Amino acid sequence: MIFNNESLDYLLSTGEHCIHEDYIEYLEGYQIKPMEYIKGNKQHKIGIIVPNYNNEEWLEKCLKSIANQTYKNFEIIFVDDCSTDNSVKIAQKYCKQVVELKQKRYNGGARNEGYLHLSKDVDYVYYVDSDDWLIDENVLSKINDNLQGEPDVLFVGVGADYNGIMRCFYNKTYQNRYEAILGWSGCYGMVVKKELATKQECLFPEGTLKEDRTQHYRVCINMKSFRCISDIVYIWNRNNVKSVTTERNIKWKADTIRNWADAVEMYETYKGKDAKLDQLLMARIENCKMEIDIKGDEQKW
């Protein structure tokens, strides 16, 4: 459905696409462009999903960074993935919603479970890992300011903490969907409209690591509009020696094969609808093969 008989080129150039998703799914040669900043004062309700497994050492810092936000229209859904430490007791001090999984599902499954416990009036979803934290008390206020105009996705900057020294991990802005697909920064690098995040085709893979790489592609492929802010709002904790991204353990290496399989599945699902997307997904498959060859994306940090 196109309103007011505006031309297709004009509507696409605005970034606010007045095209019903049933009308057209993909257009060869057209790219979803970022929306311009729109002033407004809507108080979007943000659902923050915090997956956790045995992160009691860092959990209080994580949850305090959320609880102390100046912007108050949010809720925390804490999902514990079968921890054996005191994580749940700590979480109960800060979170009204503490969900304890009865079977291990890893972060992807924990986040998918978190969706089921969001209040009906939640507008957007954000993801905070339980050993990470928000950079200051104004993060959610800044996020809400940039959700005016209601983009499907808001990409935000991510920093990394190395022994108390904060470095920029990712803070790029994207000019189109394709750049966004290539710009993976973890799921904590984007705030996603709830109706998009919870679509079947955008869910996290479960029971595996590297789940947010697949989810990032899925969300970027299915989004209709987006906005970027380069400000760093999230701190990725590189000091947690128990983290699988630090340890690069046997499961991390094995799940590289699952990551390859997810990339193949995406290619088979979307191939032929957009030539550029086909190229990006094929490149993702080849990259996964390379990671398999080097035993699971081994690297020095």
Side-chain angles (χ1 to χ4, degrees):
M1 182 183 298
I2 302 179
F3 298 100
N4 298 328
N5 296 318
E6 297 285 9
S7 73
L8 183 59
D9 295 278
Y10 170 77
L11 289 169
L12 289 171
S13 71
T14 66
E16 297 182 68
H17 312 310
C18 301
I19 304 174
H20 193 279
E21 63 184 64
D22 293 334
Y23 176 79
I24 193 162
E25 190 169 11
Y26 291 93
L27 287 172
E28 180 68 38
Y30 286 103
Q31 301 178 5
I32 302 299
K33 296 181 179 179
M35 297 174 63
E36 297 297 324
Y37 182 81
I38 298 174
K39 291 184 178 180
N41 59 3
K42 181 173 180 178
Q43 304 290 294
H44 299 91
K45 186 166 185 178
I46 302 170
I48 301 175
I49 299 178
V50 182
N52 174 78
Y53 175 69
N54 283 352
N55 273 326
E56 65 176 353
E57 178 181 357
W58 307 98
L59 186 54
E60 194 125 24
K61 182 170 186 174
C62 168
L63 296 178
K64 276 185 177 179
S65 77
I66 303 171
N68 292 338
Q69 292 293 302
T70 57
Y71 184 84
K72 298 301 182 184
N73 194 20
F74 70 89
E75 65 181 24
I76 307 173
I77 310 296
F78 182 88
V79 186
D80 187 75
D81 191 33
C82 303
S83 291
T84 57
D85 63 5
N86 292 314
S87 293
V88 170
K89 289 184 179 179
I90 296 171
Q92 288 170 340
K93 296 191 300 183
Y94 294 93
C95 311
K96 293 181 180 179
Q97 288 262 32
V98 176
V99 181
E100 297 181 67
L101 299 180
K102 300 187 183 303
Q103 180 177 345
K104 193 159 184 64
R105 293 166 62 183
Y106 292 87
N107 278 354
R111 296 188 191 105
N112 289 343
E113 180 68 28
Y115 292 149
L116 301 178
H117 299 270
L118 292 169
S119 299
K120 291 183 179 180
D121 60 343
V122 165
D123 300 303
Y124 283 88
V125 182
Y126 192 37
Y127 313 95
V128 178
D129 284 357
S130 59
D131 56 342
D132 300 336
W133 54 89
L134 303 182
I135 193 169
D136 61 36
E137 69 277 9
N138 296 313
V139 166
L140 294 186
S141 178
K142 182 175 295 184
I143 285 174
N144 181 67
D145 286 346
N146 284 276
L147 292 176
Q148 305 302 317
E150 303 190 347
D152 282 347
V153 180
L154 173 66
F155 294 100
V156 300
V158 176
D161 186 289
Y162 295 79
N163 298 318
I165 300 174
M166 199 279 286
R167 304 176 185 175
C168 177
F169 172 62
Y170 216 91
N171 68 335
K172 290 187 177 180
T173 56
Y174 312 124
Q175 298 303 310
N176 53 60
R177 181 204 305 278
Y178 308 126
E179 287 186 11
I181 288 174
L182 291 172
W184 175 82
S185 58
C187 59
Y188 32 74
M190 57 185 181
V191 185
V192 186
K193 190 174 287 187
K194 184 177 74 171
E195 63 188 44
L196 175 62
T198 57
K199 290 178 67 170
Q200 182 68 34
E201 53 266 43
C202 292
L203 297 180
F204 289 89
E206 298 198 15
T208 183
L209 307 176
K210 300 188 175 183
E211 75 292 333
D212 52 351
R213 299 186 182 191
T214 298
Q215 186 253 8
H216 174 92
Y217 268 70
R218 290 174 173 176
V219 168
C220 289
I221 289 170
N222 285 280
M223 68 185 181
K224 305 299 181 186
S225 60
F226 69 91
R227 181 177 297 138
C228 303
I229 56 173
S230 60
D231 304 49
I232 292 174
V233 303
Y234 185 100
I235 301 300
W236 178 26
N237 179 12
R238 302 299 299 132
N239 307 298
N240 184 0
V241 295
K242 297 185 296 182
S243 168
V244 291
T245 53
T246 300
E247 187 181 358
R248 303 280 158 150
N249 60 16
I250 293 174
K251 181 168 176 57
W252 176 272
K253 296 174 182 179
D255 284 348
T256 302
I257 299 173
R258 168 66 185 274
N259 200 227
W260 168 82
D262 288 335
V264 172
E265 180 184 32
M266 281 190 290
Y267 177 76
E268 292 298 324
T269 298
Y270 296 107
K271 69 178 180 180
K273 298 178 179 179
D274 182 323
K276 179 66 174 177
L277 180 60
D278 287 351
Q279 293 175 9
L280 294 181
L281 290 174
M282 184 55 68
R284 178 69 193 141
I285 291 171
E286 294 302 317
N287 187 62
C288 289
K289 286 182 181 179
M290 180 186 69
E291 291 180 357
I292 292 171
D293 291 340
I294 60 174
K295 300 180 180 179
D297 186 26
E298 290 181 344
Q299 59 191 91
K300 302 291 185 182
W301 288 94

